Amino acid sequence: MTRYHTHRSFVAAGLALALGAGCGDIDLDPMSGEALPPAAEAPADGRVDEGEVLARRSRTIDGRTFTFLKIRTATGEVATRITDDAGRPVDPAVIPRGSTPLVHPAVRAALSRPSSHPAHIASDDTLPVMLGLTAAPTPDAMAESRQGSHTFDDMGRYIATLDGETLTVIDERVLGAERAATTRAARRARIAWRADRWSDLIARHGLDAPALSEAIAEGTPSVVLELTGAEIEAIAAESADLVAAIEPAPKPSNALRAALQDVSIDPVVFANNGRQGGGVGIYMSEEGCNPDGTYADYERLAGSTDGHSLAVAGILRGASPRSFIYCRGGFTLPRASDLDGVGGNEAVLVENHSWGNMPGRFGGQRHGTAEYQLLDRDFDDHVYDDRVSVFVAAGNNGDLAPDHVNSPAKALNVVGVGAYDDSTNTITDWSSWQDGEVGNAKPELSAPGRSLSIPLADDGRLWSGTSFASPIAAAAAADLMGAYGWLQLRPAYIKAFMLAGSTDAIAGGADAVGVGGFDFRSAFFSGTNTWWDGRNDAFDWYDDRDSDPGNGYVDRPFDVDANRTSRVRVALSWATRGSYTHAHRGDAHPIGRDLDLVVYDPDGRRVGGSSSWDNPYEVVDFAPNRSGRYVARINEYANRDAGARLRMGLSINFY
């Protein structure tokens, strides 16, 4: 059940905002059968009668188009206006859920062609499809709530707290070990749960494929199989309790020193061994992988030699000298057995995927990239469940409209990385940027990705692509985790940290660049950071224990010296479950939780805000107008997914 903060006065706002009466025939709502209010004038960009428009989104659901507005009223509250395609106000309660068929329309179309069609699929012909299991249970959604912070003191040292109590370095290590143990135990339970479901599916339908044996052993959430039309129809008819979706199989494709200087890895990382990724495992997946010994502290888990892989691993090794790199061929998530480390080496905390599912054809029909696919679901659930930080190349289709950011870079919990030219600080024209159907903004940030010279892969060739921007960001995350252990196994926290540190101005527009070009120096020395990991309903609990208890918001005060700080970046990120988004991908708002962010100065004046639809992060950037205590204020606009914990990260960067 969706939980809204109704004191924000928006639940019935759609009906309360009619702008006047008209004349003529009475229109009836086809869903409710009741009279519809008269059509209203479309609101102008920026303002409506009720206040400032903070966010606008249109979405077509079952053939009807709705427009959603978040509006800041004169009292500072957030209200909502929802209108249909004729401009008439709509009650949120009558907006339908979008249809999400178990068999993807492209698969259904391929199976439905008549025998006279040249691309007819007979019942015994096979199609390459991806089967995704229904969501595994998340029993920790209502477990204990906790809050921690990490802030620089006047001596430049980080002070750590947990629930208001100061922590020692040893305390932090103990907490990190407990977090890792809890994550491993939950992973084992998911593996067992999924293994049972795959076994049931095999028994029901007589399926036999190596991929299914691996799925049982590793507890993978989805598999790619060659199935006949008869097998697909039988699974859809008889196993909806086990299978969430049957989609076209993905078709993955492979999407330095000057560059490392541009993002401040050189010299900030290279000057200090403690900032070089020590104790952090990085997993990468490619079409193939080069053999052990190609680089120091590198292990090939599976795959044959590949030039693209050589270049990606070279960037990871060059930018994160003391991390341990694992490579598995086959364009895949890590196996459960990979995550704890292989051969006694470091556990996987960071991943880089310099590939994506490219637009192509399925069963003779074009299959695009806008959809939120099983691949995106699995990556989002992987980040949420296994608490790893995942970086994915946005893709190289930016000049091929209407192609979108590739899957799995569209996933909400991963960091999609665009590519810019570090010689001009301009986004490349081929870096993908068009958002997918969910509407979450991609890419999140950008890194150098044009004309890079890469160790060992440097045969006179200069490498270009988002494939080579993504590992720069991933390596930087590993370096940050090596220096700041409290970022480990907190992907929403490290994401906020990196968004706050993406302060380099890159030309080309925010849609293509994201929040900015990542800068390691800027992120590393950020000033105030806070994490929350609480029960699903913990927002009010945190509100009751903050600096302004019971006001309906979670407040985080922070001090600014305007004489020493030219700008402040406040970044908020939170985790969401891919299983929820995939199951609700046809709804008006597929994201499980919607938060907004506003910053106030010492006099209580609003200096900036960030409100979006269906985005799992918000960023506010401002120039401080005076010294004193500012407040970052978080508003829980909606909580739709009762199965998810409230995991937030807030990073405040002075630069």
Side-chain angles (χ1 to χ4, degrees):
M1 179 178 180
T2 301
R3 174 179 178 271
Y4 295 105
H5 274 188
T6 53
H7 67 279
R8 307 287 185 256
S9 305
F10 83 91
V11 169
L15 292 179
L17 299 179
L19 299 183
C23 56
D25 295 337
I26 297 176
D27 293 326
L28 298 180
D29 189 312
M31 292 177 292
S32 67
E34 298 177 355
L36 286 168
E41 293 295 325
D45 288 342
R47 292 195 64 82
V48 292
D49 288 351
E50 295 74 28
E52 177 188 0
V53 175
L54 302 175
R56 176 193 306 267
R57 182 168 186 213
S58 294
R59 187 163 173 84
T60 300
I61 306 173
D62 290 347
R64 298 185 64 189
T65 299
F66 301 92
T67 298
F68 301 84
L69 301 181
K70 283 186 182 180
I71 302 166
R72 184 165 66 92
T73 67
T75 61
E77 295 182 336
V78 178
T80 295
R81 169 190 281 181
I82 306 172
T83 55
D84 63 14
D85 45 14
R88 292 175 292 235
V90 177
D91 183 347
V94 302
I95 295 176
R97 280 203 59 186
S99 58
T100 53
L102 190 151
V103 178
H104 188 279
V107 178
R108 175 60 63 201
L111 297 176
S112 302
R113 293 194 187 97
S115 58
S116 58
H117 195 285
H120 168 68
I121 305 294
S123 62
D124 57 350
D125 290 340
T126 62
L127 282 173
V129 295
M130 176 175 268
L131 261 66
L133 288 180
T134 53
T138 52
D140 69 338
M142 300 301 287
E144 180 183 18
S145 299
R146 313 198 84 173
Q147 174 182 340
S149 68
H150 300 89
T151 305
F152 273 119
D153 66 10
D154 293 338
M155 301 295 293
R157 299 168 301 189
Y158 260 113
I159 304 299
T161 68
L162 176 65
D163 298 333
E165 300 294 329
T166 302
L167 298 177
T168 66
V169 173
I170 295 176
D171 292 335
E172 286 268 66
R173 290 174 181 167
V174 170
L175 287 170
E178 291 175 353
R179 195 160 63 249
T182 300
T183 302
R184 285 194 297 270
R187 185 184 307 135
R188 288 193 295 269
R190 285 193 305 277
I191 290 171
W193 188 91
R194 289 170 178 159
D196 287 344
R197 269 71 189 164
W198 287 124
S199 297
D200 286 351
L201 192 69
I202 291 169
R204 288 185 193 182
H205 301 283
L207 302 177
D208 182 18
L212 289 170
S213 298
E214 181 178 318
I216 291 173
E218 296 291 335
T220 53
S222 302
V223 296
V224 173
L225 299 172
E226 288 279 346
L227 295 180
T228 66
E231 287 172 328
I232 292 172
E233 297 289 11
I235 292 171
E238 302 167 18
S239 295
D241 58 323
L242 301 177
V243 176
I246 304 174
E247 297 180 356
K251 297 180 179 179
S253 176
N254 291 324
L256 119 101
R257 184 163 180 181
L260 298 186
Q261 288 175 337
D262 196 73
V263 298
S264 300
I265 286 177
D266 181 2
V268 178
V269 168
F270 297 160
N272 189 313
N273 289 344
R275 304 171 187 168
Q276 297 180 8
V280 176
I282 303 177
Y283 171 92
M284 57 180 279
S285 183
E286 292 280 323
E287 184 172 11
C289 294
N290 292 279
D292 296 351
T294 302
Y295 294 104
D297 295 327
Y298 166 91
E299 181 163 339
R300 177 169 66 184
L301 302 174
S304 57
T305 300
D306 177 72
H308 187 274
S309 168
L310 184 69
V312 171
I315 293 174
L316 292 172
R317 174 49 65 239
S320 185
R322 294 177 178 270
S323 61
F324 196 95
I325 301 171
Y326 304 95
C327 185
R328 180 175 291 281
F331 300 124
T332 181
L333 284 168
R335 296 181 176 181
S337 53
D338 298 337
L339 290 171
D340 290 332
V342 177
N345 295 306
E346 284 81 352
V348 172
L349 300 174
V350 176
E351 294 177 26
N352 180 76
H353 297 268
S354 290
W355 55 274
N357 184 25
M358 303 296 290
R361 305 190 72 80
F362 180 82
Q365 176 179 325
R366 180 172 172 77
H367 176 53
T369 59
E371 298 165 343
Y372 186 88
Q373 302 168 4
L374 282 171
L375 191 63
D376 302 302
R377 179 200 75 163
D378 292 351
F379 268 74
D380 271 338
D381 281 345
H382 172 50
V383 175
Y384 180 90
D385 291 331
D386 294 313
R387 298 174 180 252
V388 291
S389 297
V390 176
F391 297 79
V392 183
N396 303 322
N397 307 315
D399 53 350
L400 299 175
D403 288 332
H404 298 73
V405 168
N406 292 335
S407 293
K410 292 198 303 290
L412 284 78
N413 291 333
V414 312
V415 178
V417 184
Y420 69 84
D421 185 337
D422 59 290
S423 68
T424 62
N425 277 0
T426 301
I427 199 75
T428 65
D429 58 359
W430 37 258
S431 184
S432 295
W433 57 271
Q434 294 194 63
D435 303 333
E437 67 173 351
V438 170
N440 53 312
K442 291 287 179 171
E444 280 84 353
L445 53 86
S446 296
R450 183 191 284 277
S451 300
L452 304 183
S453 177
I454 301 170
L456 289 193
D458 184 6
D459 54 0
R461 174 182 176 183
L462 296 177
W463 298 77
S464 295
T466 56
S467 286
F468 312 111
S470 180
I472 291 177
D479 295 338
L480 289 168
M481 290 184 190
Y484 300 144
W486 34 267
L487 290 170
Q488 297 177 11
L489 298 176
R490 290 186 175 125
Y493 201 18
I494 183 70
K495 186 174 181 179
F497 208 78
M498 296 191 71
L499 293 174
S502 295
T503 53
D504 285 355
I506 306 300
D511 280 346
V513 173
V515 302
F518 179 73
D519 186 278
F520 188 89
R521 183 190 301 274
S522 181
F524 188 81
F525 295 108
S526 65
T528 299
N529 307 281
T530 307
W531 60 266
W532 296 263
D533 188 344
R535 295 160 45 111
N536 177 267
D537 59 356
F539 192 88
D540 290 338
W541 189 86
Y542 289 129
D543 170 31
D544 290 340
R545 289 157 178 80
D546 66 9
S547 60
D548 191 358
N551 67 344
Y553 305 92
V554 172
D555 294 311
R556 180 61 167 96
F558 59 98
D559 295 322
V560 176
D561 184 346
N563 297 316
R564 300 173 58 187
T565 303
S566 58
R567 296 200 66 82
V568 179
R569 167 77 62 87
V570 183
L572 170 69
S573 174
W574 61 98
T576 185
R577 291 194 310 143
S579 296
Y580 179 90
T581 299
H582 190 266
H584 294 79
R585 62 193 183 278
D587 291 4
H589 303 295
I591 191 171
R593 194 184 302 266
D594 187 352
L595 304 176
D596 296 323
L597 177 65
V598 180
V599 178
Y600 294 91
D601 72 6
D603 296 323
R605 291 189 295 256
R606 184 178 184 271
V607 298
S610 180
S611 298
S612 62
W613 293 108
D614 307 312
N615 213 35
Y617 65 89
E618 304 288 353
V619 176
V620 176
D621 201 293
F622 67 97
N625 53 15
R626 53 162 294 184
S627 299
R629 177 150 292 189
Y630 288 68
V631 175
R633 177 162 288 172
I634 303 169
N635 173 34
E636 186 179 58
Y637 186 79
N639 177 13
R640 306 180 183 98
D641 180 7
R645 289 181 64 78
L646 176 58
R647 293 177 181 160
M648 303 186 292
L650 184 78
S651 184
I652 302 169
N653 183 17
F654 310 124
Y655 69 103

